[in-house]
Amino acid sequence: MKLTKRALAWVLLLAAAAATASCGGGDTTADTTAAVTEKTAETVVDDNRVNDALPEMDYEGDSVTILYREEVAYEFDTEQTGEPVDDAVYDRNRAISERFNLTLDYMGRPGLWATQAEYKGLITNTVLAGDSTFDIITGQSNIVLPLATENIYLDLADAKYIDYSKPYWKDGYHDNATINGHLYSVSGDYALTTLTETNVILFHAGLFNDYDIEYPYQLVRDGKWTLDAFLGLVESFSADLNGDSVIDENDLRGFTAYGNSINPLTYSTQTAIMAKQDDGTYIIDFPKERHIEVYDKVWELIRSPYFLDREKAPEGFAHSDNAVVYELEVGRSAMVGVVLKGVEWLRDMEEDFGILPYPKYDEAQKDYVCSILRRFTVASVPITAADPDQSSLVLEALSCIGYNEIIPTYFNVALKDKYTRDSDTAEMLDIIQQAAYFDFADAFYGNLSGVSDYLTSYAYYNNNAKGLASHFAKQEKTIQKDLDALYEAYED
């Protein structure tokens, strides 16, 4: 398979740390300033970097305050530590401050799902009080975007300085987050979690070698990495490691996951609950034969002796990604479902491991689909922002440098000493990034009662193998009501 230009750049970055360059400034100043009026998307062709089209502004020391969730402070607010990603983020902030003569002030607060009420309250109470503290609001996507229905964000569809034609903005997210032409939150390379929260499958190369099973890379290349192919491999691995004649959580399984890493099978097999119409709107399109077939197979997988449900495992931290990765590290699982960040937890793993996209429905499905776990970061500009144009300029600059410097630096660090010179892995990463997918119902998770996970969640928690259609029929009116209310909230 021919690698794309960005994949080739990654191979070089993974082989050795490459020199980085920031957006704008230097010899490109005149060009980028001239490009403002035309808002062009010219790229720098020699090393895959891009220039923004921002003018050279002097904000005379203005302060731009950005709210972020403190659990992912590494995306925004770092010091020089000698750790490459931290230093890249620090250098980005300094470069923007110096270029535009402004100060980036960051305010971190607990913002994971467990503290969503407090985080939402901070945002809404501040804005509705007319308080201009925040110039940019960031946070977990399924916490921040649903607040748009409360009319507290500015419409960013035509933000003055955001150029959506640039590769550092996530078109897939914006296509789904835009309703009636209105876009109230944006996703881009200003946030590392748009990459690290990508759902992937990791496999234990040593176990594949022991069982004389070929790595699935060629299946992926040939378009044959399907749900059935995946399930067939899962069933190839089962062993009573402790000799007690029972296959349990202490023995070898083919696949380990928990709720969040089962749900990607909904998207990878293109069995989402809602379908996009020609006019851009979404309708409920569930269940069909394809939905039921995937449901039946996932239901069987979860209850098979080849699967370990980490939510039910007895030993500590069951409901987390690092717990899933642990099963791979200790050789108790041939494959695990996890987000890309899980690679970081395997730096000390002695055995080699590989990375794969989630499987397609069948060979007729054209593309692989890799969903992003909805805890990735999005950004909004509150209606109380002191200078909305300045806020959009900062977001553009943050994203451009993120694309040019932080994302490549992360790859160099996260994959260092494991498969940094492995062209198979670079190829898989390229496929996974090209397949990045943002689901409409998932984007509006909070507005649509979490219905995006319906198929796999029902398979996961329902002990009755049948009844999918009848159970959904009881929920459909409520779901339609939620959908109607969402569209109504986005009316002009």
Side-chain angles (χ1 to χ4, degrees), residues 237-256 302-310 312-315 327 330-334:
F237 296 93
S238 179
D240 179 14
L241 298 181
N242 59 7
D244 64 0
S245 301
V246 177
I247 301 297
D248 57 23
E249 65 277 358
N250 297 307
D251 298 313
L252 174 63
R253 306 293 184 98
F255 186 57
T256 297
I302 292 169
R303 288 155 183 82
S304 76
Y306 313 106
F307 175 77
L308 176 62
D309 178 359
R310 272 304 285 164
K312 298 177 182 177
E315 56 177 307
E327 297 299 323
V330 299
R332 289 202 303 235
S333 188

Side-chain angles (χ1 to χ4, degrees), residues 71-120:
E71 295 87 356
V72 292
Y74 58 82
E75 290 188 296
F76 298 107
D77 190 15
T78 66
E79 298 294 334
Q80 283 184 307
T81 64
E83 198 281 321
V85 176
D86 284 348
D87 289 354
V89 172
Y90 176 86
D91 290 342
R92 177 194 64 183
N93 294 343
R94 184 179 61 181
I96 292 172
S97 295
E98 292 177 353
R99 179 181 175 189
F100 299 109
N101 190 16
L102 54 76
T103 300
L104 297 179
D105 288 331
Y106 290 106
M107 181 182 294
R109 294 291 184 272
L112 295 183
W113 190 248
T115 56
Q116 61 169 307
E118 293 84 352
Y119 204 74
K120 288 179 178 178

Side-chain angles (χ1 to χ4, degrees), residues 204-215 233-241 247 251-254 306 331 333-334:
H204 192 295
L207 287 172
F208 273 70
N209 294 337
D210 292 343
Y211 278 69
D212 197 26
I213 295 176
E214 185 176 353
Y215 301 160
L233 277 182
V234 171
E235 293 181 7
S236 299
F237 296 93
S238 179
D240 179 14
L241 298 181
I247 301 297
D251 298 313
L252 174 63
R253 306 293 184 98
Y306 313 106
S333 188

